[in-house]
Amino acid sequence: MPPAAAEPDEPTAPAESPVARPADTREIAATMNLALRIGELLLSSGAGAGDVSAAMRNVAWACGLRGYTADVMFTELTMSYQSSPEDPALIQIRQVRYREVDYGDLTEVDHLIRALVDGSIGRAEATNRLNRIISTGHARPRWSVTAALGVMGGGVGMVLGGDWLVVAVAAAAAMLVDLMQRQMSRRRLPAFYQQVAGGLLATLIAVAVTATPAEVSPSLVISTSIIMLLAGVNFLGAIQDALTGFPVTAGARILEAFVATSGVVAGVSGGLQLSTVLGVDLGRLNPGAYSLAQTPVMVIGGAIAAAAYSFSAYAPPRALAPIAAVAAVAIWVYATVYQQGFGIAWSSALAALLLGLASYPVATRTRIPALVVVAAGITPFLPGLSIFRGLTLLGTDASAALLAMVTAAAIAIALSSGAILGEYLAQPIRRETRRLESKLAGPRLVGPHTVRRLRRRRARRATSDPT
């Protein structure tokens, strides 16, 4: 029997394309690109991963995008959008490789986000303003930044109890190290080698001062000479990410901080070995040792150091005096509580709590992000000096090294958690905004709370002022 003939296939209707229209795709891509570029600038300026994620989501929401996701890693930002389960997802990824703190740009972007989410500007105008911010460059000449770092080094030398010679050495070392690191950065040498060279140069300066007839403590001179190298290590962002649910980014930032501090240790060790070869007797060194000055001197030194650091990070001039005042009060609280018998960790936590509480109203009045006030105000507390001490003692005294590392961790956690708790207590979160805010992130150190809140506020102002 011949085989039965196969039945012809039934005609099928052409499948509908699940891809969105090109015009819609372009609009979505433009919104995602704007959010990613804003997130890149915030992350490179030291903002926490929670703040960056919330800012990206606020930008997307304000531009009319729904159903998106935003993910923040230490070196990568990702944003995706899928209109329905049947449609393919649109994904954009942006690498964050270049990091340079510029609080002037951070402030301008903060204003941009607020204007976008309250409806004052649209996406096209926001993109144009962002292009101008990125392409304009720094707001002040580079030599002024070097001078400000020298002033910061001198201010911290005052906090650590140094006399006029130690303060002068700290200021000179900070400026020389900055000039050298700038030349190395132009040749694109990794940051670790810049830290090594900076530690070596700072130690050689201290060795030269110790070789003179002047009666100074070599340990104190070395500690104050490396202040500028340790001040830039970002512990606040690392602890903030750990507390707000971004452990991977927190781990990466902590590792970066330890590698940078290890570079300083290597440079200082090389400088000490070179001093032995040159026949300079430094006596018994106590690396990372310091003694706190009298409270009035500490307050003045802390205010100078905080204001100078914010100036070196291109903060707006209007913010310098308020930052100095807030830092002075925080240092006074720290010194007062420490003299009452509290440990260094609790003293740091209470001072940082006050700093966080004060940063929100100060930032509102001066029209800057609260991150600028907190980051500059924490500078005089120097948790990096304890980490430097712990890493230096690893090869000679394991128990002292462990104690120093535990102390460093306690100081870093106390400062960061205290400042963030202050932000939680300071920011007025209403019941109807908490629900949306909980989906975005924790306390806002950069950017507005929510899109809906600012638009409601704008609507109320328009209703109360019909003219």
Side-chain angles (χ1 to χ4, degrees):
M1 177 181 293
E7 297 182 359
D9 294 335
E10 296 182 359
T12 57
E16 295 183 0
S17 175
V19 182
R21 291 178 297 169
D24 296 337
T25 302
R26 285 195 297 267
E27 293 292 323
I28 295 170
T31 297
M32 293 169 62
N33 181 66
L34 175 63
L36 287 170
R37 293 178 62 198
I38 288 177
E40 179 186 15
L41 194 149
L42 295 180
L43 189 63
S44 63
S45 296
D51 291 342
V52 175
S53 176
M56 293 168 57
R57 296 185 181 189
N58 274 334
V59 169
W61 184 280
C63 293
L65 191 63
R66 304 293 185 268
Y68 52 83
T69 60
D71 189 26
V72 178
M73 301 290 287
F74 185 58
T75 58
E76 186 177 275
L77 301 175
T78 305
M79 201 163 187
S80 63
Y81 170 79
Q82 189 173 17
S83 58
S84 67
E86 293 79 16
D87 291 345
L90 300 177
I91 301 175
Q92 286 193 22
I93 300 175
R94 195 169 188 90
Q95 299 292 327
V96 182
R97 299 296 185 189
Y98 179 72
R99 299 177 185 274
E100 184 177 5
V101 176
D102 190 327
Y103 289 149
D105 288 350
L106 185 69
T107 301
E108 293 297 327
V109 172
D110 180 71
H111 295 170
L112 184 154
I113 297 173
R114 294 177 186 275
L116 180 64
V117 301
D118 70 7
S120 300
I121 61 175
R123 191 192 64 220
E125 176 62 22
T127 302
N128 292 334
R129 287 176 56 174
L130 181 62
N131 292 337
R132 288 195 296 268
I133 293 171
I134 295 176
S135 61
T136 300
H138 298 307
R140 51 185 64 111
R142 192 61 180 80
W143 64 264
S144 65
V145 173
T146 301
L149 290 174
V151 174
M152 185 201 74
V156 175
M158 295 173 62
V159 174
L160 299 185
D163 55 13
W164 68 268
L165 179 59
V166 173
V167 171
V169 170
M175 290 188 289
L176 291 175
V177 168
D178 179 66
L179 291 173
M180 182 189 63
Q181 288 191 332
R182 190 197 316 174
Q183 296 298 324
M184 297 179 68
S185 179
R186 290 176 179 174
R187 291 165 174 77
R188 300 193 179 278
L189 290 173
F192 174 80
Y193 300 108
Q194 296 182 30
Q195 293 289 90
V196 172
L200 177 61
L201 177 59
T203 305
L204 291 180
I205 294 174
V207 169
V209 173
T210 306
T212 64
E215 296 183 0
V216 294
S217 169
S219 300
L220 183 59
V221 172
I222 293 175
S223 297
T224 53
S225 298
I226 63 174
I227 288 304
M228 196 274 289
L229 299 170
L230 299 177
V233 178
N234 186 10
F235 294 97
L236 174 63
I239 303 301
Q240 180 188 0
D241 290 346
L243 294 176
T244 54
F246 293 86
V248 176
T249 304
R253 284 185 165 176
I254 291 175
L255 178 60
E256 182 188 47
F258 270 91
V259 170
T261 309
S262 300
V264 179
V265 172
V268 171
S269 176
L272 296 178
Q273 293 295 327
L274 187 57
S275 69
T276 303
V277 173
L278 296 176
V280 179
D281 184 14
L282 299 179
R284 179 176 176 81
L285 285 175
N286 189 10
Y290 63 90
S291 59
L292 297 178
Q294 297 295 324
T295 300
V297 179
M298 287 183 62
V299 170
I300 296 174
I304 292 174
Y309 175 77
S310 61
F311 183 91
S312 69
Y314 306 100
R318 64 179 180 273
L320 301 184
I323 287 175
V326 172
V329 175
I331 287 289
W332 177 80
V333 170
Y334 171 84
T336 303
V337 173
Y338 186 75
Q339 291 171 2
Q340 297 300 319
F342 285 81
I344 187 172
W346 275 106
S347 302
S348 300
L350 292 175
L353 177 62
L354 174 66
L355 186 64
L357 284 170
S359 65
Y360 185 73
V362 169
T364 301
R365 290 182 177 274
T366 55
R367 296 178 291 110
I368 60 175
L371 173 65
V372 179
V373 182
V374 173
I378 280 181
T379 300
F381 291 94
L382 298 171
L385 198 58
S386 297
I387 293 183
F388 165 75
R389 174 176 170 80
L391 293 178
T392 305
L393 292 174
L394 279 177
T396 57
D397 191 343
S399 59
L402 179 61
L403 178 61
M405 296 298 290
V406 172
T407 302
I411 295 173
I413 294 174
L415 289 173
S416 302
S417 60
I420 294 172
L421 179 60
E423 288 291 328
Y424 269 114
L425 299 177
Q427 293 183 351
I429 305 175
R430 296 184 178 180
R431 179 178 59 85
E432 60 269 20
T433 62
R434 286 176 181 167
R435 188 163 50 252
L436 180 58
E437 176 63 15
S438 64
K439 300 178 181 178
L440 300 180
R444 292 275 64 71
L445 293 180
V446 179
H449 253 292
T450 63
V451 179
R452 293 176 179 174
R453 178 183 179 184
L454 288 182
R455 290 188 172 176
R456 282 198 300 267
R457 182 185 302 172
R458 188 184 180 198
R460 287 196 301 268
R461 290 177 179 174
T463 303
S464 59
D465 186 12
T467 60

